[in-house]
Amino acid sequence: MPGRPSPGSQVEYLVHHPMIFPRAFALSYYWQAGTLLRQLFTFGWLNVGPVPFAMSATISAFLLLIWFGDTNASQLSRSWRCWAVTVMASVAALLSLALYIGASSLGDTEIAGLQGRYFVPLVLPFLLVIVPARPKKGIDGGAIVVTLLLVGNLAALAAIGQAYYI
């Protein structure tokens, strides 16, 4: 990036100051957690949204998923869940390190350029890790969750279409 140190200079600085990146990592996620979550519902290079209806529908689906659970979730072993958490943490750490090296100034206390949309691919494995294995109750929670997610996606697509095509 223009005006930033070269990646080689940044890596050299990190080697000589090994606690700079872990501090920036912790502070960035601590201070930006809410923004990163909202940006999961921001589209079109962050020009559209967040879409409140899509956000509400998705959060409702998430809470219902946790409430109802899924009988098939027991097929995911503890070792698989640990592996998935390790992969997700590694992706977040490596993505953050790449942004820190490529977009931050020497010694920055936060990671420049961190955006929620970078974590969209981690949402599905995250949900697979946390969904509890419970027998179904009287209501089919899966159908409600899928309906809420479809409605949320349609709201997001409508907002994108309105911003770019109408």
Side-chain angles (χ1 to χ4, degrees), residues 18-82:
M19 291 311 295
I20 291 292
F21 175 71
R23 181 173 185 250
F25 183 87
L27 288 174
S28 295
Y29 284 93
Y30 179 76
W31 291 113
Q32 296 180 38
T35 301
L36 293 172
L37 288 173
R38 272 192 311 282
Q39 286 178 347
L40 288 173
F41 301 95
T42 306
F43 313 97
W45 294 99
L46 304 179
N47 292 326
V48 180
V51 181
F53 187 77
M55 192 181 303
S56 299
T58 303
I59 291 170
S60 298
F62 170 75
L63 293 173
L64 285 174
L65 179 68
I66 300 303
W67 176 261
F68 286 109
D70 189 341
T71 55
N72 296 324
S74 61
Q75 295 175 5
L76 300 174
S77 66
R78 183 178 304 267
S79 62
W80 183 89
R81 291 173 193 251
C82 290

Side-chain angles (χ1 to χ4, degrees), residues 127-164:
L127 292 175
L128 289 172
V129 165
I130 65 167
V131 67
R134 292 191 186 133
K136 291 190 178 188
K137 298 182 168 108
I139 300 173
D140 183 12
I144 298 170
V145 168
V146 168
T147 302
L148 282 169
L149 291 175
L150 286 174
V151 167
N153 278 305
L154 288 174
L157 285 172
I160 292 168
Q162 184 176 12
Y164 289 109

Side-chain angles (χ1 to χ4, degrees), residues 76-95:
L76 300 174
S77 66
R78 183 178 304 267
S79 62
W80 183 89
R81 291 173 193 251
C82 290
W83 173 81
V85 167
T86 303
V87 169
M88 289 184 293
S90 298
V91 166
L94 291 171
L95 173 88

